[in-house]
Amino acid sequence: AQSVTQLGSHVSVSEGALVLLRCNYSSSVPPYLFWYVQYPNQGLQLLLKYTTGATLVKGINGFEAEFKKSETSFHLTKPSAHMSDAAEYFCAVTFLSGNTGKLIFGQGTTLQVKP
Amino acid sequence: NAGVTQTPKFRILKIGQSMTLQCTQDMNHNYMYWYRQDPGMGLKLIYYSVGAGITDKGEVPNGYNVSRSTTEDFPLRLELAAPSQTSVYFCASSSQGPQASPLHFGNGTRLTVT
């Protein structure tokens, strides 16, 4: 079955430090991969997505992620954390074929940014 | 634009009661979704729909029902509420499916079953 696993339910970084949030996927068909962000008491917003083509994708607010098929990973990074980045981040997967309307989320990683 | 509107925002149910969570979108999106969010579990897909008249089960459909008689509305029905259904429920919509267009989320319904 297709799924995503986020390593680390809670990540804490200092302001200005590198942000690295980990996501691994399992899929028997080519995946489309996404990162969504949820700010407190809100719904989710799309940060970035990988569909086909370039494996390094850039999103909003300085975030980027790299699709690595050999490692089945799609880790999210940002070179320098800002206080406003504190939120919960979700990796998600859908499929190139089959149930293409279905979007499956990981467990989420809460990012804390310390001053 | 209102986007995706969920009602009610909060609800407390007694065990065995039933209720309908309402979701409506004014963006003419074909795809609609219901997720539940529990601490440490992320979002779990309950049901989704790729167009009016078409619904399909997600990861955790048991205890829920949906219908999609119009493009705009996608209500979620809970029959015989149980404490395990205490959660935050999110409705979302997408114009062309997640591969091609992002999901737009409502602000959620916080449900407590006691």
Side-chain angles (χ1 to χ4, degrees), chain B residues 30-57:
Chain B
N30 286 320
Y31 292 73
M32 295 189 75
Y33 302 81
W34 275 106
Y35 289 91
R36 59 177 288 173
Q37 183 177 24
D38 302 295
M41 301 295 289
L43 279 79
K44 295 294 186 185
L45 180 62
I46 304 172
Y47 274 95
Y48 69 108
S49 168
V50 301
I54 306 168
T55 62
D56 208 348
K57 294 179 180 178

Side-chain angles (χ1 to χ4, degrees), chain B residues 20-93:
Chain B
T20 299
L21 280 67
Q22 300 291 347
C23 175
T24 188
Q25 51 92 8
D26 62 359
M27 299 173 282
N28 201 33
H29 285 175
N30 286 320
Y31 292 73
M32 295 189 75
Y33 302 81
W34 275 106
Y35 289 91
R36 59 177 288 173
Q37 183 177 24
D38 302 295
M41 301 295 289
L43 279 79
K44 295 294 186 185
L45 180 62
I46 304 172
Y47 274 95
Y48 69 108
S49 168
V50 301
I54 306 168
T55 62
D56 208 348
K57 294 179 180 178
E59 303 168 273
V60 290
N62 291 345
Y64 307 94
N65 280 298
V66 294
S67 59
R68 185 94 184 271
S69 56
T70 66
T71 298
E72 296 78 18
D73 299 307
F74 191 42
L76 178 71
R77 178 83 177 163
L78 280 71
E79 305 281 4
L80 296 175
S84 61
Q85 293 178 306
T86 293
S87 189
V88 180
Y89 291 84
F90 286 99
C91 179
S93 72

Side-chain angles (χ1 to χ4, degrees), chain A residues 2 9 32 34 36 38 41-46 49 51 88 90 93-97 99-108, chain B residues 31 33 35 37-38 40-45 48 50 56-59 90 97-108 110:
Chain A
Q2 287 83 357
S9 60
Y32 287 176
F34 308 83
Y36 278 77
Q38 183 181 32
N41 300 314
Q42 294 185 27
L44 280 70
Q45 305 170 36
L46 180 66
K49 68 178 183 181
T51 53
E88 190 160 17
F90 294 91
V93 64
T94 190
F95 321 112
L96 184 61
S97 61
N99 286 333
T100 55
K102 203 171 182 178
L103 185 65
I104 303 299
F105 285 90
Q107 305 93 319
Chain B
Y31 292 73
Y33 302 81
Y35 289 91
Q37 183 177 24
D38 302 295
M41 301 295 289
L43 279 79
K44 295 294 186 185
L45 180 62
Y48 69 108
V50 301
D56 208 348
K57 294 179 180 178
E59 303 168 273
F90 286 99
Q99 310 92 319
S101 55
L103 269 63
H104 296 257
F105 282 81
N107 286 330
R110 187 174 294 275

Side-chain angles (χ1 to χ4, degrees), chain A residues 37 39 45-48 58-64 76-82 84-85 89:
Chain A
V37 60
Y39 298 103
Q45 305 170 36
L46 180 66
L47 263 183
L48 50 79
K58 295 185 186 300
I60 60 173
N61 301 337
F63 284 94
E64 61 182 38
L76 181 71
T77 60
K78 182 173 180 178
S80 176
H82 192 271
S84 61
D85 294 328
Y89 292 79

